[in-house]
Amino acid sequence: FDAVVRLATRAGEREVPVADFVRGPYETARQDDELLTAVRLAPWPAGTAGAYVKFGVHERPTLGVAVTLTTDGGVVRDARVAVGCVGPRPARVAAAEERLRGWSLEEVARHAGEVGAAASAGVEPASDLHGSAGYKRDMTRVFVRRALLVAAARAAGRESHERHPHTIVV
């Protein structure tokens, strides 16, 4: 949630939103003379539950999905869906987030596959040695669904016990 990176030089300091800090593979907004001195994270709002799911059989993951659901009375007030490792930089998927707002946790679980499909349509995957763009798009659909099911269960006070080979759920 709205993290900020602090960079320092002898001349002074500046802060950059984390969304603007990562520019591409192995590329950030840090200048040659800057040193990263801090990353400031805001605490999650009350009523927020989340999940991070990543898939990979090699050192670098093929896909990473982060989902948070902020609920009030069992209804999703805010949602965040971010997908990384499929394209040049991690990105939030606004269409998937918008779709979740106003739903009950039961509706989230029931329609998680549809939201996964919306997220899949909202990413710009790049083919590389970890998979083709089409494969990564399909993986996005599946893993957004899985992350939503875990986050919805946690928001409802239950722990999801789904396990999948080569998948890490945090």
Side-chain angles (χ1 to χ4, degrees):
F1 281 93
D2 307 320
V4 176
V5 174
R6 183 177 306 135
L7 301 162
T9 67
R10 289 183 178 170
E13 293 184 345
R14 71 180 177 117
E15 290 188 345
V16 178
V18 77
D20 298 332
F21 182 70
V22 178
R23 293 187 173 164
Y26 307 105
E27 183 184 357
T28 66
R30 188 186 68 80
Q31 303 297 316
D32 290 340
D33 63 339
E34 290 180 314
L35 180 66
L36 191 150
T37 59
V39 177
R40 189 176 67 234
L41 304 171
W44 285 359
T48 301
Y52 175 72
V53 180
K54 73 176 183 174
F55 175 81
V57 292
H58 302 291
E59 183 177 310
R60 180 182 172 270
T62 301
L63 171 78
V65 173
V67 171
T68 61
L69 302 172
T70 302
T71 60
D72 186 7
V75 175
V76 177
R77 181 171 35 101
D78 191 23
R80 304 281 174 111
V81 178
V83 178
C85 302
V86 298
R89 60 182 284 194
R92 286 182 48 197
V93 187
E97 294 174 351
E98 185 59 37
R99 192 155 190 186
L100 291 162
R101 290 185 186 101
W103 281 1
S104 69
L105 294 173
E106 293 79 20
E107 289 173 309
V108 171
R110 192 169 46 250
H111 299 290
E114 295 170 29
V115 177
S120 174
V123 296
E124 297 179 25
S127 296
D128 62 17
L129 67 105
H130 298 283
S132 68
Y135 171 74
K136 290 180 180 184
R137 190 174 301 282
D138 287 343
M139 293 293 287
T140 298
R141 178 182 47 77
V142 170
F143 279 78
V144 166
R145 179 184 134 319
R146 289 178 182 177
L148 280 170
L149 292 174
V150 172
R154 289 176 177 171
R158 298 183 316 272
E159 191 60 38
S160 173
H161 296 290
E162 282 193 56
R163 298 290 180 247
H164 307 281
H166 306 294
T167 303
I168 298 172
V169 179
V170 180

